Every structure is written in C-alpha cells, then in structure tokens.
C-alpha cells in the first residue's frame, strides 16, 4: 500500500494498533504521555500534503489520527466486555460440544402396528424378590451411633459446581495437620457472600471428609492468615476478621491456623471477658479457686494495662470545657487546654462588657509552674477543683531549675466542671505532673508547703 | 419406580437430589456427605430418575431431558433430549432401559427410543398439561395424570386409551402403581388420595381395567407425591402441609405414621429403601432427610443445596441375606 513506505505513518499506526486492541489498557497507559520527539519526526518522511505545521504539531500531540484519549475509555470497556462474553460463549460451546443432542422428530411417520406390538408387548410382572437385604439399611444400622458431622451446616457454602453464583477460589494450607499432609494446599471454592467464619467452617467440613481421622477444634479456634504460595504463613498481619465477607479480600492463598491461646486480644472485648469469667466463677463455688486466682490475675493485669494506657495518652493535648471561678465569684466559661508542656486557659464568649471585672484573659502556664491539681468539692452534678501554680514577677522562667527563686508568688485557680470531666482533668494533670520531673516537683511541693505554713491555711 | 434388583457390577447406592439451585447432588447415604455435584445450569430440575441399569441419571427440566453418566467424573450431561416445548414434568424408563417415556406441559407423552432401533416416534396427546406419568409393571401400559383432573390409561400396544375422573376439576398431582401391578394410587391438589385395584394387567389377552377401591383425605392441603413401597405394604404421600404420611396398603390404607419436622416446609418427594424400612424425603428447606419408617425418627440429614429440593431419586443395592 502506498502508505507503508512512510515510516512515520507506520510507527504511528503500530502505536495506535497497540492502544486500540489492548483490552487491558496497559499500552495506552505506557504510551499516552510519549510524544514522538521532534527530531524523530524531522528525520522521518512526512506527508507531502501536510503543509500546515500547526496541524502536524496537533497530530504529533495526539499521536494518532483518529483515537482520542477520552474515547479510549469506551473502547477499552467494550473490549473487556467482549472478551468475557466470548469466554462465556466458548465455555457454553465446549459444554454443549461434549454432550450428544437428540431431537424429537414430530413430523416423522407414526409407528407401525407391528413395531408397536413388538416394542410394547405385555411383560410378566416379576415375583417378589427372594430374601435380599437392603445395603442402605445395613449401612445405616452399622453407623447408628455415628455422630453428626459438626461442620455439616457449612457445606452449603461450597461454591464448586455452582452456576451463576459468584464464588471465590482459595488454596488453603492446613497448618495444623501432620508434616506430610500440610504441605499440599486444599482447593476450596466458597460462595462470595459467605463470611470468613463460614469459610473456616467449610474448610473444616472438607477437612473432616478428606482427613477423617484428624480431630478438629470448633470453628472459633481457627483463624485464616495470608499465606505465600509455598505455604509460609505471613505472621506480620493479623488473621482475617471472622465477621468480614470473603468477597472483600482478594487473596488466593490462605493458611488455616489454630489459635494457641484463647485470650482474645482486643481492648473492647477483653474487659467483658474478664467480668464474665468473674461472674461465672463467683456463682460456681467449689471448683472455682484456681479459676478465681487466674481471673484475679487477669483483673490485675487489666488494671495495669488500663493504667499504662491512660498514662501514655496523658501528655497528649486535650481541651476541656469548664468554668473558671473568678475573684468576683462569678463563673466564666473557658476552654482548659492541658498538654504535657503547658496549661492554657482560653475564655469563651467574652462579649458582655458589663462584667468587665470578671473578664478572663487568655493565659498560658508552663507545666513546671504548676504545683498541684486537687479536687476541692464534689456536688451531685458539679465538681470544683483547684490548680496551684507559681508566677514569677517579670515573667522569668523557672523552667528546669531545681529550686524556686524567693520572690515567687503562690496563686491558684479554681475551676468547676461536671463530675466526669473534673475527674479526668485532675487525673490527667496529676499524671503529667508525676511524669515531668519528680525531684523538682518534690522540692516544689516542699516549698509550697513551707509557704503555706508561713501563710497559714487558706 | 420400584427398587429393582441391582444390575451386574453395580455396588453403589445412588441417591440424587435436585431442585432450584441449578445443581444435582449425589450423596453418600450413610455419612450424609455430598459425593458429587452435577451442573444443571439452564433451569430448575422438575424430576430425577435413575435408569434401571444404574448407568444414567435423567433430569427432566424446561424443554430438555438431560442424561448424566453416573460412571464418569464428568460434571455435565452426556445426552440432551430436546424438541419438547415447555416443561417436562415426568420421566421414566422401561425396565431394561430400552426406551424412555416423558410427559410435559404441552400435553404430550412421548416415548424416546434409547436404543435407536426405530425412527418413528410414539406419543400420546392428552390436551392438557401432563403432571405425572407412571408405567405399569407389564411395560405395556402407561397411566397419565393431567391438570384437568383426568387419569388416562394408555395402552401403547394398541394405542387405545381410557379416561377416569376421580375428582372433577382438581388437578391430579401424582400417580403411583405398586410393584405387583395390583393397585393404582392418585393424589390431587386438594390433598385427596384415590385408590383403584388393577386387574388383567398381567395377562396379554385380557384387557387391563381399574376399579375404584378407596378414597380418603390424605392431607388438608395440596399433595405433592405418592409412592408405593417395594414390598407393596405401604403407600407414602407427601404434601405442602409439611408432612409425609405412611399408609397401610394392605389394611385399608389406615394411617401408620406421620413424618413431621419443624420448618421442613413443603415435602416435595419421597423414596423408599428396598426393604421398605427407610424413607428419603426432599423439602423446600433445602435439606433431604432419611427417616426410619417404624420409629418415625430422622436418621440422616443431607445438607448442601442452596435452594429448595423438589425431586429425589434413589436406587438401593441388594445384598444377600
């Protein structure tokens, strides 16, 4: 053809063909940004017709004569639909091809009388069978004490031979089996609507049929972990959540692992587990001693863990809404911001000019200036607490120093908040103060005490 | 179909179930495990029947009868009989597997020559959708039930037919003939059961006639299946009232046992073991069960279908006593 001697055209044509026939869209992704460099275009023959350089530039940018970037998406979608449709038709054809079709001939002549007589002659009815036993009865009677397979209910999640139902195929490595059996994965096909727990049940069901001798634990004792193709279980990731739908995950290779310890390691549930255990042991008196010790230990551990958790998050900044009680005995709403380094008091809604004297300025104190934080009064709905601090005239820093300068003045803030908030604030403050530096705080407290004694009780 | 003697070389019990989930399952009867699942993609399965030579399983469905070779591991069918408009509701076999009969919603009962000895088809038209077809043990006559409530007795040799209407305008749902060829049972959409005694069927000169014998209310609602036990002692009827009932065929059809299970829903089909001691049932609750006839207790459950089981097929194996 006349065009085939034009190298530029050929190159463009090849590129276009790749982009348009590739159903996966990879070619397009790779080539879309590539503009044929000008040098190459110059070196190759151009069409003698294209005088207008502007047009050529456009053509080079688009890199093709008729395929635009936007329409490429549609082409690709159609392409992928086509290929899957073709696949389905191929499969149907293969299935049909293996079976023989016999069609009813409705137009053929009726059967002749002789043929009928021969084909449908009356036959003798067989007499009663001699004494034979039914194999079914024998088998049932032999297995009369056979317990029901506990995983039977999971057999309905088997997706093999299901038509028209979305399924997921997995290679499952059964890590709890003996050495020689666990190296080969078991192929499991599961309906896509099943949960992970149900998939585990299906795996156990299949396992019970194939490896009948192996004693299986209940479904809750197993977890599914991401596994390599060679059977190595990836322990870095936790096991797949039992309540999630299998369709969510794209893994093809999983390992079934028995949970060794039966303690569930989630914060929300373990407390309840402990409490339930405790209740159970309290109600059953005699056998309880060992269990009780264990649960006591569990409670202690839980408390420790809780304590650690709170201590760890204490230095993080948190803002509370409370009321500061001013010198005029009025309450002003503030935001109390507490972090490991600072204490901040920010007033809220300072519009009212009437109460000028009770206006609260925004203040910030370094945590080293704070001496203590204690609850002073607890009412049914409100709690008042006090924060003692020192302020140095001239705003000199006392941070980090081990002893206080003599000209510090002792001050305090009184706050009011609802019971829960106040408790939390006080607890947080005290943890922070404890953490910060125990030696200087001790001195601080000692100095405070002395000052208090000098002043007399307030 | 009565449980006939196992063919030579057959040593396996065959128990198959099918229904709406587009699969046919073959079960290991004593454990309850599913041995094999066959694909039946295009439509639901209306009826399953095992050939007397135990080689094939026939599935009657919408416009097709598909035959699955039970001796292979193939999940798909090997033969496909087509050319039938609408649903094929009944299928059965001559005792030597020479030919197959089918009945369908198009009102025709067709005889398919399985050995392909003749090209001329034989059929009978009843002009109403056929619900059930049963072959007399003499292999010469066929009883047909239709939706109008008529039972036709078609003599295939002479091509004559008689009609009987036990209960006008109430659809005949199922027919059964006992292995002796002495009794015919029918159940209809009102749950009523009718019994006739058959005479003359065994002798070639005499014409086969049927005489009404019993009539009773088997179920308060629509009955779905009736079958005689292989020893002709029992008749089982199943119903949409969630039960299967066993009647004494030798003693005026008194009720012997009611097999009931909570949540069983409609009991679509039933099959006796060859010694009539056990009964299989298939239900809309997707589960097939094995019952002990004497005790009325459930021995096994066959779980695995995703949708209702509407048909079961069973072939027992005889072992010397």
């Amino acid at each position: 053809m006349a065009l085939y001697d034009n190298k530029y055209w050929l190159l463009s044509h090849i590129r276009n063909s790749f982009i348009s026939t590739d159903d996966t869209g990879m070619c397009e992704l790779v080539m879309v940004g590539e503009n044929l460099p000008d040098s190459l275009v110059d070196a190759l023959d151009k069409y003698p017709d294209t005088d207008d350089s502007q047009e050529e530039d456009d053509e080079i940018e688009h890199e093709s004569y008729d395929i635009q970037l936007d329409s490429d998406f549609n082409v690709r979608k159609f392409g992928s639909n086509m290929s899957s449709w073709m696949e389905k038709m191929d499969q149907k054809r293969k299935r049909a091809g293996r079976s023989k079709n016999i069609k009813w001939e409705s137009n053929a002549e009726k059967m002749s009388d002789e043929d009928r007589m021969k084909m449908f002659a009356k036959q003798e009815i067989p007499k009663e069978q001699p004494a034979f036993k039914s194999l079914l009865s024998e088998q049932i009677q032999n297995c009369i004490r056979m317990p029901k397979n506990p995983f039977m209910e999971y057999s309905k999640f088997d997706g093999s031979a299901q038509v028209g139902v979305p399924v997921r195929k997995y290679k499952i490595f059964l890590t709890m089996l003996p050495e020689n059996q666990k190296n080969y994965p078991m192929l499991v096909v599961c309906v896509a609507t099943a949960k992970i727990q149900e998939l585990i049940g299906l795996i156990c069901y299949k396992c019970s049929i194939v490896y009948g001798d192996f004693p299986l634990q209940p479904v809750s004792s197993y977890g599914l972990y991401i596994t390599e193709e060679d059977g190595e279980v990836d322990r870095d990731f936790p096991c797949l959540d039992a309540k999630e739908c299998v369709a969510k995950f794209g893994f093809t290779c999983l390992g079934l692992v028995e949970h060794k310890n039966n303690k569930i390691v989630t914060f929300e549930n373990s407390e309840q587990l402990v409490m339930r255990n405790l209740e159970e042991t309290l109600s059953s008196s005699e056998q309880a001693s060992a269990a009780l010790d264990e649960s006591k230990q569990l409670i202690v551990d839980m408390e420790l863990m809780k304590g650690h958790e709170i201590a760890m998050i204490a230095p993080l900044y948190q803002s509370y809404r409370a009321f500061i009680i001013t010198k005029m005995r009025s309450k002003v709403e503030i935001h109390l911001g507490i972090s490991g380094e600072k204490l901040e008091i920010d007033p809220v809604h300072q519009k009212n000019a009437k109460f000028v004297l009770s206006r609260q300025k925004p203040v910030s104190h370094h945590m080293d200036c704070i001496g203590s934080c204690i609850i002073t009064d607890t009412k049914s709905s409100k709690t008042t607490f006090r924060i003692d601090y020192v302020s140095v005239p001239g705003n000199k820093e006392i941070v980090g120093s081990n002893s206080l300068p003599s000209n510090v003045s002792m001050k305090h803030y009184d706050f009011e908040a609802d019971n829960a908030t106040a408790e939390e604030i006080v607890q947080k403050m005290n943890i922070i103060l404890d953490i910060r530096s125990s030696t200087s705080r001790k001195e601080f407290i000692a100095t405070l005490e002395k000052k208090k004694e000098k002043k007399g009780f307030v | 179909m009565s449980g006939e003697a196992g063919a030579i070389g057959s040593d396996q019990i065959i128990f198959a179930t099918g229904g709406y989930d587009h699969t046919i399952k073959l079960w290991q009867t004593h454990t309850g495990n599913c041995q094999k699942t066959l694909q039946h993609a295009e439509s639901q399965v209306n009826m399953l029947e095992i050939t007397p030579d135990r080689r094939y399983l026939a599935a009657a469905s919408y416009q097709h009868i598909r035959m699955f070779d039970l001796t292979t591991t193939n999940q798909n069918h090997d033969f496909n009989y087509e050319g039938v408009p609408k649903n094929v509701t009944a299928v059965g076999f001559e005792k030597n597997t020479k030919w197959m009969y089918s009945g369908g919603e198009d009102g025709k009962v067709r005889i398919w020559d399985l050995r392909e000895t003749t090209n001329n088809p034989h059929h009978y038209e009843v002009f109403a959708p056929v619900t059930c077809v049963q072959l007399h043990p003499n292999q010469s006559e066929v009883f047909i039930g239709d939706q109008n409530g008529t039972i036709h007795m078609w003599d295939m040799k002479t091509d004559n037919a008689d009609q009987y209407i036990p209960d006008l305008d109430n659809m005949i749902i199922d027919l059964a003939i006992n292995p002796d060829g002495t009794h015919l049972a029918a159940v209809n959409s009102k749950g009523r059961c009718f019994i006739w005694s058959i005479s003359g069927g065994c002798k070639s000169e005499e014409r086969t006639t049927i005489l009404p014998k019993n009539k009773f209310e088997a179920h308060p609602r629509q009955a779905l299946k009736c079958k005689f036990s292989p020893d002709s002692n029992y008749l089982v009827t199943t119903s949409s009232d969630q039960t299967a009932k066993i009647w004494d065929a030798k003693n005026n059809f008194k009720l012997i046992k009611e097999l009931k299970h909570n949540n069983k829903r409609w009991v679509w089909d039933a099959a006796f073991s060859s010694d009539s001691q056990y009964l299989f049932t298939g239900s809309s609750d997707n589960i097939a069960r094995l019952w002990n006839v004497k005790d009325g207790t459930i021995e096994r459950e066959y779980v695995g279908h995703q949708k209702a089981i509407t048909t079961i097929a069973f072939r027992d194996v005889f072992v010397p006593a």
Side-chain angles (χ1 to χ4, degrees):
Chain A
M1 302 262 297
L3 297 169
Y4 283 0
D5 61 346
N6 184 325
K7 293 172 195 171
Y8 170 67
W9 187 93
L10 267 176
L11 190 64
S12 215
H13 180 66
I14 293 170
R15 293 167 77 95
N16 297 342
S17 303
F18 267 103
I19 292 173
S20 62
T21 57
D22 179 26
D23 283 343
T24 63
M26 284 304 290
C27 291
E28 189 200 326
L29 277 172
V30 167
M31 290 196 277
V32 75
E34 293 170 19
N35 292 326
L36 288 177
D38 286 348
S39 54
L40 196 62
V41 174
D42 285 335
L44 296 170
D45 295 336
K46 280 178 267 180
Y47 271 108
D49 297 337
T50 55
D51 299 321
D52 196 345
S53 56
Q54 282 257 320
E55 273 182 29
E56 279 167 43
D57 287 342
D58 288 337
E59 280 159 7
I60 293 164
E61 269 175 33
H62 287 302
E63 202 188 8
S64 78
Y65 293 92
D66 57 349
I67 296 175
Q68 303 296 318
L69 204 58
D70 296 335
S71 61
D72 273 348
F73 285 115
N74 294 336
V75 169
R76 194 173 16 150
K77 260 190 200 165
F78 183 66
S80 57
N81 278 348
M82 274 287 284
S83 60
S84 62
W85 182 77
M86 291 293 287
E87 255 185 69
K88 276 186 195 157
M89 290 308 291
D90 273 334
Q91 273 178 12
K92 255 190 170 169
R93 225 176 289 133
K94 274 188 199 160
R95 270 208 297 261
R98 285 196 215 117
S99 72
K100 188 175 168 185
N101 284 349
I102 297 121
K103 198 153 176 194
W104 176 261
E105 298 287 332
S106 45
N107 294 329
E109 271 177 39
K110 274 204 96 168
M111 207 182 247
S112 68
D113 285 348
E114 295 116 47
D115 284 340
R116 267 210 325 267
M117 293 295 194
K118 217 167 72 178
M119 203 164 171
F120 306 114
K122 268 191 190 174
Q123 298 189 31
E124 266 199 49
I125 296 167
K127 297 280 188 274
E128 228 180 271
Q129 297 292 334
F132 271 116
K133 266 183 80 181
S134 150
L135 180 63
L136 174 79
S137 299
E138 203 178 271
Q139 282 181 348
I140 296 293
Q141 276 150 21
N142 288 342
C143 306
I144 206 154
R145 262 180 260 288
M146 200 168 86
K148 192 177 153 189
N149 188 330
F151 305 110
M152 184 75 80
E153 51 178 307
Y154 296 104
S155 62
K156 61 176 181 275
F157 295 105
D158 194 347
S160 54
Q162 290 285 349
V163 180
V165 174
V167 295
R168 292 283 182 275
K169 291 195 181 113
Y170 298 103
K171 282 194 213 141
I172 305 288
F173 286 92
L174 304 157
T175 62
M176 67 284 186
L177 290 177
E179 271 301 326
N180 54 338
Q181 287 172 340
K182 74 175 179 186
N183 288 330
Y184 300 99
M186 186 166 77
L187 269 164
V188 174
V189 182
C190 182
V191 293
T193 48
K195 305 254 184 309
I196 293 287
Q197 176 127 9
E198 288 154 356
L199 171 60
I200 295 176
L202 174 64
I203 296 167
C204 290
Y205 172 71
K206 293 197 86 161
C207 204
S208 67
I209 298 176
V210 178
Y211 304 107
D213 302 327
F214 188 80
L216 288 165
Q217 306 297 324
V219 173
S220 52
S221 325
Y222 293 106
L224 278 173
Y225 291 79
I226 304 167
T227 307
E228 304 290 327
E229 290 279 341
D230 62 0
E232 200 184 308
V233 178
D234 192 346
R235 290 288 190 170
D236 294 337
F237 292 100
C239 66
L240 303 179
D241 191 346
K243 295 186 195 69
E244 290 287 355
C245 185
V246 303
K248 195 175 164 188
F249 305 104
F251 312 114
T252 52
C253 231
L254 295 170
L256 189 74
V257 184
E258 196 176 330
H259 291 310
K260 285 297 174 199
N261 53 334
N262 284 327
K263 290 184 199 166
I264 309 163
V265 193
T266 54
F267 267 119
E268 303 90 280
N269 297 337
S270 45
E271 276 185 52
Q272 295 164 17
L273 185 72
V274 167
M275 289 317 294
R276 251 185 275 126
N277 275 344
L278 189 59
E279 280 165 26
E280 280 166 43
T281 51
L282 283 175
S283 57
S284 69
S285 43
E286 275 150 17
Q287 306 151 350
S289 51
L292 196 58
D293 285 339
E294 205 181 280
S295 55
K296 269 189 192 161
Q297 185 59 36
L298 266 170
I299 295 174
V300 169
D301 289 341
M302 280 309 302
E303 292 300 310
L304 267 175
M305 270 166 65
K306 224 179 175 177
H308 285 144
E309 190 194 346
I310 297 174
M312 269 164 52
I313 63 174
L316 299 172
Y317 179 83
Q318 181 110 10
S319 174
Y320 301 92
R321 279 189 94 148
F323 291 90
I324 189 167
I325 301 171
T326 62
K327 291 176 189 127
M328 308 307 292
R329 299 267 181 238
S330 64
K331 291 183 216 173
V332 179
E333 198 176 351
I334 49 132
H335 281 301
L336 190 63
I338 305 172
S339 75
E341 297 288 317
K342 281 195 187 330
L343 176 79
E344 288 167 351
I345 302 169
D346 285 313
V348 181
H349 308 309
Q350 288 277 303
K351 294 177 226 169
N352 214 325
K354 277 188 196 172
F355 303 98
V356 153
L357 290 168
S358 62
R359 202 179 280 176
Q360 178 66 36
K361 290 186 210 153
V363 199
S364 170
H365 294 278
H366 198 282
M367 213 33 99
D368 280 345
C369 302
I370 308 295
S372 66
C373 177
I374 49 167
I375 291 180
T376 49
D377 188 17
T378 315
K379 294 190 189 101
S380 56
S381 60
K382 295 242 176 268
T383 301
T384 50
F385 57 97
R386 174 173 292 188
I387 295 182
D388 287 300
Y389 68 101
V390 289
S391 71
V392 185
N395 283 335
K396 274 198 196 145
E397 289 294 329
I398 59 164
V399 174
S401 67
N402 278 336
S403 60
L404 299 165
S406 49
N407 59 346
V408 292
S409 55
M410 298 289 308
K411 289 189 184 161
H412 62 88
Y413 289 119
D414 284 313
F415 298 96
E416 191 183 276
D418 60 87
N419 297 345
T421 311
E423 270 189 45
E424 206 180 312
I425 293 171
V426 171
Q427 187 185 48
K428 189 180 176 78
M429 283 295 298
N430 283 316
I431 293 174
I432 295 171
L433 293 170
D434 278 338
I435 290 170
R436 277 205 71 85
S437 51
S438 39
T439 45
S440 56
R441 174 135 150 90
K442 275 185 198 159
E443 253 209 56
F444 193 61
I445 292 171
T447 321
L448 276 172
E449 295 294 314
K450 279 188 208 154
K451 298 254 174 188
K452 266 193 186 156
E453 275 167 35
K454 278 186 194 165
K455 267 187 163 176
F457 287 119
V458 178
Chain B
M1 295 286 283
S2 57
E4 296 172 50
I8 302 162
S10 60
D11 54 357
Q12 266 203 323
I13 296 172
I14 306 171
F15 177 46
T17 55
Y20 282 96
D21 72 349
H22 296 245
T23 65
I24 296 167
K25 285 184 183 284
L26 293 159
W27 304 89
Q28 194 180 38
T29 43
H30 62 286
T31 56
N33 295 328
C34 174
Q35 277 179 322
K36 195 169 161 184
T37 304
L38 303 168
Q39 282 189 358
H40 191 275
E42 272 94 47
S43 72
Q44 82 287 350
V45 182
N46 295 329
M47 187 164 172
L48 285 172
E49 194 66 47
I50 302 168
T51 55
D53 62 7
R54 305 170 71 94
R55 181 137 179 227
Y56 293 99
L57 175 69
S61 62
Y62 184 68
Q63 297 188 335
H64 294 273
I65 302 166
R66 294 188 174 89
M67 304 269 271
F68 295 83
D69 190 336
L70 292 170
T71 60
T72 68
T73 54
N74 192 6
Q75 271 185 338
N76 292 306
H77 58 273
D78 290 284
F79 294 96
N80 177 25
Y81 293 86
E82 54 183 11
V84 181
K86 301 191 207 169
N87 275 298
V88 181
T89 51
V91 71
F93 294 92
E94 183 266 344
K95 70 178 185 191
N96 294 320
T97 324
K98 280 194 212 156
W99 42 266
M100 170 174 80
Y101 61 85
S102 73
E105 283 176 340
D106 66 337
K108 285 205 180 115
V109 173
R110 291 175 170 81
I111 306 296
W112 306 75
D113 187 348
L114 296 174
R115 305 248 179 113
E116 288 175 16
T117 55
T118 167
N119 282 328
N120 302 321
H122 201 29
H123 76 273
Y124 180 73
E125 193 158 358
V126 305
F127 303 106
V130 171
T131 53
C132 47
V133 183
Q134 281 296 326
L135 180 65
H136 192 291
N138 65 14
Q139 312 297 304
S140 183
E141 276 145 342
V142 152
F143 289 86
I144 305 160
D146 69 20
Q147 278 190 12
N148 284 342
T150 311
I151 298 173
H152 309 253
M153 191 177 75
W154 176 35
D155 184 338
M156 291 184 287
K157 203 173 66 190
T158 62
D159 217 8
N160 291 330
D162 294 326
Q163 275 83 35
Y164 306 91
I165 304 177
D167 196 2
L168 192 62
D169 288 337
N170 287 321
M171 212 189 290
I172 301 287
I173 305 286
D174 200 23
L175 292 170
I177 305 175
N178 67 355
D180 295 347
T182 56
H183 285 84
L184 170 74
V187 286
N188 71 3
S189 51
K190 293 289 183 193
R192 294 188 190 119
C193 185
F194 303 90
I195 310 288
W196 292 262
S197 60
I198 310 174
S199 55
C202 326
K203 295 175 189 153
S204 15
E205 317 83 44
E206 264 188 50
R207 232 195 111 162
T208 310
T209 50
I210 64 173
L211 283 170
K213 191 171 167 192
N214 281 77
K215 169 175 136 179
F216 56 95
E217 303 282 335
H219 295 274
R221 284 164 50 183
Q222 179 178 16
L224 295 167
K225 203 81 187 175
C226 63
K227 247 182 203 158
F228 280 100
S229 62
D231 59 7
S232 301
N233 286 339
Y234 306 119
L235 174 75
V236 66
T237 56
T238 70
S239 168
S240 59
D241 71 354
Q242 304 187 5
T243 67
K245 287 183 182 169
I246 302 187
W247 311 86
D248 192 339
K250 295 283 170 55
N251 192 9
N252 216 22
F253 293 91
K254 285 210 185 99
L255 177 65
I256 298 177
K257 212 88 192 165
E258 184 176 313
L259 305 176
K260 196 169 179 170
H261 182 261
N262 293 337
N263 304 323
K264 214 168 74 167
R265 298 171 62 192
W266 288 30
V267 184
W268 283 91
D269 206 351
F272 277 102
S273 64
S274 60
D275 59 2
S276 313
Q277 295 302 310
Y278 294 95
L279 181 81
F280 290 95
T281 59
S283 293
S284 306
D285 67 353
N286 314 348
I287 299 175
R289 289 178 177 85
L290 179 66
W291 301 79
N292 183 321
V293 167
K294 253 193 215 116
D295 307 332
T297 52
I298 299 174
E299 297 280 356
R300 292 283 181 277
E301 283 193 347
Y302 305 92
V303 181
H305 275 287
Q306 308 276 336
K307 289 195 183 157
I309 297 174
T310 55
T311 173
I312 66 177
F314 173 65
R315 278 262 187 261
D316 205 342
V317 172
F318 285 94
V319 289

